[in-house]
Amino acid sequence: FFTLPSEDNPVLIPQPLEPGEVVDLGGRKIQALPVEHSVPAQGYAVTSSTGATLAFSGDTGAGPVFWRALNALDQLDYLLVECAYPEAEAQLASAARHYTPTTLLADLERLDHSPDVSVIHLKPGSEQLIGEQLKRLASGRSFRLLQSGDHISL
């Protein structure tokens, strides 16, 4: 869609956002958030016209950068955060800068807000195992594994 119907008149025109930068899109504010990953990546916070805010990480791994950015938000109602690998693949997860249940739950302790947490980007074939590990290690923290077809409304 970046070259359709033509390069001179594309349907979509990309507008890169630097971490911390905010744009207004039809009354919704979209802010780029820094993350820690093995290749350039970032998360986003979307704030509705009523002030409800959803943030998501995309690819990210353990570290304080994303969580400091989340804590700087005025409000955080929903958080979608990755947990790509089960515990048995912790070394690979660390090298690739992705979460395991243990590292995700440790970083969630950095969060000052109390959003509804949905876990995304689970390694295909490991979804059930990652879910079981999160539940076992969560110490009462509530979360859900986001499924295809789930909806979140701001």
Side-chain angles (χ1 to χ4, degrees):
F1 293 100
F2 296 117
T3 59
L4 295 175
S6 70
E7 285 189 34
D8 295 334
N9 187 28
V11 171
L12 295 176
I13 301 171
Q15 290 185 305
L17 295 177
E18 294 298 319
E21 189 174 349
V22 179
V23 296
D24 187 293
L25 186 63
R28 292 177 184 88
K29 300 220 180 312
I30 300 170
Q31 179 179 354
L33 303 174
V35 299
E36 300 186 55
H37 190 50
S38 56
V39 297
Q42 61 189 28
Y44 295 93
V46 179
T47 302
S48 72
S49 59
T50 64
T53 300
L54 174 144
F56 62 96
S57 68
D59 287 348
T60 190
V65 172
F66 180 60
W67 306 95
R68 276 197 299 259
L70 293 176
N71 287 334
L73 298 172
D74 291 336
Q75 181 174 330
L76 181 58
D77 302 285
Y78 305 97
L79 173 61
L80 282 65
V81 62
E82 73 123 271
C83 187
Y85 291 98
E87 294 299 325
E89 297 183 53
Q91 188 172 11
L92 175 58
S94 178
R97 301 300 305 241
H98 285 284
Y99 279 117
T100 65
T102 296
T103 57
L104 173 59
L105 291 168
D107 270 2
L108 278 168
E109 293 299 318
R110 300 175 189 263
L111 190 58
D112 295 336
H113 299 284
S114 298
D116 289 342
V117 177
S118 294
V119 180
I120 60 172
H121 192 31
L122 292 86
K123 181 180 176 186
S126 296
E127 300 93 341
Q128 183 176 345
L129 177 58
I130 293 169
E132 290 168 357
Q133 290 174 345
L134 281 165
K135 185 176 181 180
R136 181 173 42 84
L137 297 167
S139 300
R141 180 177 288 276
S142 154
F143 63 89
R144 70 177 175 159
L145 303 182
L146 204 61
Q147 304 285 323
S148 178
D150 285 351
H151 295 269
I152 297 173
S153 297
L154 293 182

